[in-house]
Amino acid sequence: MRVKWIPIILIAGGGLLALVGVVAAIGAMLPVNHRAVGESEYAVPRDSLYTILTDVERYPAWRSGMTRVVRREPLEGKERWLEVTGDGEILYERLEALPGRRIVTRIADPALPFGGRWTLELEDAAGGTRLRITEDGEVYNPIFRFVSKYIFGHDATIETFLADLRARTTGASK
């Protein structure tokens, strides 16, 4: 009776390995770098939105999945913080901050399988502020590249951030 299961297990295992191989091969053909852009308008003044975006200590109150933020010592004059989520920790640093206009941050942990920077641009819009986020990302592992592009989408984090920010600016709960 046990012998009948061996071919099924071998076929299933071989199929799984083949699937992983195909995913890895497709991922290897994808570029390491990608660009994703998202934007939304908020019924708050530019300076108010800028304050919300730069107040990283309060991110856990309105950002999905974030449990805490831990400030780190600045390095070469750049503000740094650790964002803690259920998926792990990511160290960020602020590269640029033009009050009311532009914020540029980057992932500052070279040990992660991904990296990149976010550029947040604020401009006046009818009745409030338009925020445009540009992600210039890098995904080093070919399997993660496949998953990032075809399963999650490169803009998934941006879209979640914009939706969370909408809830924050309208007073809706997290």
Side-chain angles (χ1 to χ4, degrees):
M1 188 82 165
R2 229 186 267 200
V3 176
K4 292 180 182 177
W5 286 103
I6 291 175
I8 293 171
I9 292 171
L10 290 174
I11 290 169
L16 183 60
L17 284 175
L19 178 63
V20 170
V22 167
V23 166
I26 293 170
M29 291 187 284
L30 295 171
V32 170
N33 299 312
H34 68 269
R35 174 169 275 190
V37 179
E39 69 178 51
S40 190
E41 291 185 13
Y42 301 90
V44 296
R46 239 181 333 125
D47 290 338
S48 297
L49 194 61
Y50 181 87
T51 299
I52 292 168
L53 294 169
T54 56
D55 189 0
V56 296
E57 285 91 356
R58 294 185 193 244
Y59 279 6
W62 61 271
R63 291 205 35 213
S64 296
M66 187 164 302
T67 57
R68 65 190 170 107
V69 170
V70 180
R71 281 282 183 184
R72 295 290 190 228
E73 287 296 315
L75 182 64
E76 298 175 0
K78 294 181 179 108
E79 180 182 4
R80 297 173 357 124
W81 66 94
L82 189 69
E83 293 184 2
V84 181
T85 70
D87 295 326
E89 301 175 345
I90 300 177
L91 180 64
Y92 289 90
E93 71 180 4
R94 185 160 296 135
L95 301 176
E96 183 180 333
L98 297 171
R101 298 254 178 235
R102 180 178 161 101
I103 305 162
V104 180
T105 61
R106 79 171 189 95
I107 294 174
D109 185 346
L112 293 174
F114 54 85
R117 68 176 55 201
W118 269 27
T119 302
L120 291 81
E121 298 170 296
L122 297 91
E123 58 186 45
D124 291 328
T129 306
R130 177 179 300 108
L131 171 65
R132 178 179 302 108
I133 301 174
T134 303
E135 174 182 292
D136 291 302
E138 304 163 352
V139 183
Y140 311 119
N141 180 300
I143 293 174
F144 290 173
R145 276 199 298 273
F146 178 92
V147 170
S148 175
K149 179 169 176 92
Y150 295 113
I151 296 177
F152 295 123
H154 291 313
D155 63 350
T157 304
I158 292 173
E159 293 304 321
T160 300
F161 186 94
L162 292 171
D164 288 347
L165 184 57
R166 171 145 334 280
R168 165 65 179 82
T169 60
T170 60
S173 62
K174 179 174 164 182

